[in-house]
Amino acid sequence: MTRRAFTVLRLAATAICLAVFAGACAEPPAPPRLTGSADRIDRDAGLVIDGETIADARTYDAARTQKALTLYSAYSAESEEAVLKQFTEDTGIKVDLVRLTANRLFERIIAEHDAGRLQADVVRISDPGFVEKLNAQGVFQPYRPPTATHLLPDVKFGQGRYYRTFNPAYTFGYNTALVEKEEAPQSWRDLTTKRWRGKLGIAQVGAGGSALALTRFQRDRLGDDFLRAYAGNDVRIFDSIGAELDGLARGEVSVGTVAVSGANVARARNAPIRFVVPRDGFAVYDFYTGMATTARHKEAASVFLNWSLSRRGQKVLTELGEYSVRSDLPTPTVMGVKLPELDSPLVFRARPGEATKFAPRDQAAWNDLFGYNQ
């Protein structure tokens, strides 16, 4: 059998697995859990998880009476669902999720808020520009979670109206049915070679904080000559990082930009994806969470924010592959790969002020280099 024929067979087998997972066949096997259960949960007098008080008795009793909260989120659908499943298991409180890409979620929140019809109890969104504008419009109310301890610098914003709650790592990955591990690119500059021409994917720069963070990293660390060569390598542009991950899993592209946590969730669901820690580094970007001024289920929202910044909630996020905002948790290990420390030279994080300052010119430069006008 030729190498090409073998690759085709591997891809066909992968497609069958994905079809089974998507429901084309009956009763697909449940994906393995990516997060572990808490060691101990005490609900007798409030909510205490692994020795840490998440909510006092009054708050927790009221939250359980409310039964559910509404979360508006731009976090990737599969990753958010994994987090919310663990939150509900830990607390007994359900979450009604409204999930959109960051740019579309921002537009919806502004429209609903201006009309006096914002339904969110909690908002989770990336992109410092978006979250700063939402705060300026009065979308968030002040709240200090009692679990907000052992925090890294630069976590609380807007006088406690919203918090940086985790940092996804944005790098690139490859389809293992199309690319052998030994042949996989190991740096961003590898992607500018003829080997990958017409086989690359990227999410458009306006999709949200992830795409802007990657562009800031690439312009700062690699330069516009790199981006020009990258764009000239016949790259397929996706509307969002989620759509690109799906395209990578289906083999529409061989290599594409991915969030490590997204790749981790996809891999657990039998998608043929692995991520790379490039030798020239990668970007991380901020995800912010805050309680809406419109919160009708304030106690349930309080429990959600308390849990999100608790050691338990942050541990769940690191198990998915996100960088924690607490100093008492280790760097994530994902698919057997320990990520570099957050302060490593390999990890690039634009601070909110810097990201906001450069965002308009970065977006304009990216659109021009990639010929993207949508």
Side-chain angles (χ1 to χ4, degrees):
M1 180 181 294
T2 66
R3 181 183 180 84
R4 177 178 176 81
F6 181 67
T7 299
V8 170
L9 284 175
R10 289 177 63 206
L11 188 56
T14 299
I16 291 170
C17 291
L18 289 172
V20 170
F21 169 71
C25 300
E27 298 298 330
R33 288 182 60 127
L34 292 173
T35 62
S37 298
D39 293 331
R40 181 178 178 182
I41 300 177
D42 185 354
R43 299 189 177 100
D44 292 337
L47 178 63
V48 181
I49 302 179
D50 293 341
E52 182 178 14
T53 299
I54 306 300
D56 59 29
R58 185 201 65 79
T59 301
Y60 189 51
D61 289 345
R64 285 196 286 187
T65 300
Q66 293 163 357
K67 297 182 180 179
L69 65 104
T70 299
L71 172 67
Y72 278 27
S73 177
Y75 191 31
S76 69
E78 293 78 9
S79 298
E80 187 70 270
E81 287 167 5
V83 171
L84 298 185
K85 181 178 180 180
Q86 195 63 66
F87 169 77
T88 298
E89 180 180 304
D90 284 1
T91 67
I93 298 169
K94 295 181 180 180
V95 180
D96 295 325
L97 175 64
V98 175
R99 195 271 161 193
L100 294 167
T101 58
N103 53 342
R104 293 175 181 170
L105 185 65
F106 172 77
E107 293 167 358
R108 174 166 174 167
I109 293 171
I110 290 294
E112 289 186 3
H113 183 265
D114 288 349
R117 297 199 303 268
L118 182 59
Q119 300 299 306
D121 293 305
V122 178
V123 171
R124 188 183 339 259
I125 195 167
S126 61
D127 190 301
F130 287 161
V131 76
E132 287 170 12
K133 290 175 183 176
L134 293 178
N135 186 51
Q137 292 291 316
V139 168
F140 301 113
Q141 62 175 288
Y143 180 70
R144 178 174 174 79
T147 54
T149 61
H150 301 282
L151 298 182
L152 299 172
D154 199 19
V155 170
K156 184 174 74 171
F157 293 91
Q159 297 180 323
R161 287 179 171 83
Y162 61 96
Y163 294 80
R164 173 166 65 98
T165 38
F166 57 93
N167 284 87
Y170 198 14
T171 180
F172 63 82
Y174 60 94
N175 185 305
T176 58
L178 298 173
V179 181
E180 299 287 349
K181 183 178 180 179
E182 296 76 16
E183 298 176 347
Q186 296 302 311
S187 74
W188 291 98
R189 297 189 189 281
D190 287 347
L191 303 184
T192 64
T193 63
K194 291 181 180 179
R195 166 73 173 83
W196 303 110
R197 183 171 180 80
K199 301 177 181 179
L200 303 172
I202 193 170
Q204 59 96 2
V205 70
S210 58
L212 278 169
L214 179 65
T215 302
R216 178 89 297 267
F217 158 73
Q218 290 173 333
R219 297 195 75 198
D220 184 272
R221 294 283 182 86
L222 306 173
D224 282 1
D225 286 344
F226 159 78
L227 267 179
R228 190 171 292 106
Y230 187 28
N233 220 11
D234 193 17
V235 180
R236 177 171 174 178
I237 300 173
F238 291 83
D239 185 57
S240 68
I241 188 172
E244 183 189 0
L245 185 63
D246 290 342
L248 181 61
R250 289 192 295 264
E252 296 171 11
V253 294
S254 298
V255 178
T257 52
V258 297
V260 168
S261 56
N264 191 27
V265 173
R267 183 75 175 184
R269 299 184 177 196
N270 295 321
I273 292 175
R274 291 200 68 86
F275 69 90
V276 174
V277 176
R279 54 177 172 262
D280 37 14
F282 58 83
V284 299
Y285 57 101
D286 297 352
F287 249 101
Y288 305 94
T289 309
M291 187 186 301
T293 54
T294 55
R296 294 176 297 169
H297 308 99
K298 187 170 182 179
E299 285 77 17
S302 297
V303 174
F304 184 82
L305 284 166
N306 296 353
W307 183 89
S308 295
L309 284 174
S310 71
R311 195 175 194 280
R312 166 62 182 160
Q314 291 286 297
K315 184 173 184 290
V316 169
L317 288 161
T318 61
E319 287 172 343
L320 287 176
E322 315 296 20
Y323 281 94
S324 172
V325 297
R326 291 179 63 114
S327 61
D328 57 350
L329 283 169
T331 299
T333 296
V334 185
M335 298 185 205
V337 177
K338 183 176 175 60
L339 298 185
E341 298 293 331
L342 194 56
D343 59 359
S344 164
L346 289 175
V347 180
F348 180 91
R349 174 184 172 242
R351 297 301 190 270
E354 180 186 6
T356 303
K357 173 184 175 182
F358 283 102
R361 67 187 78 173
D362 285 346
Q363 184 162 353
W366 193 96
N367 287 339
D368 180 59
L369 287 166
F370 283 84
Y372 188 80
N373 298 309
Q374 296 184 24

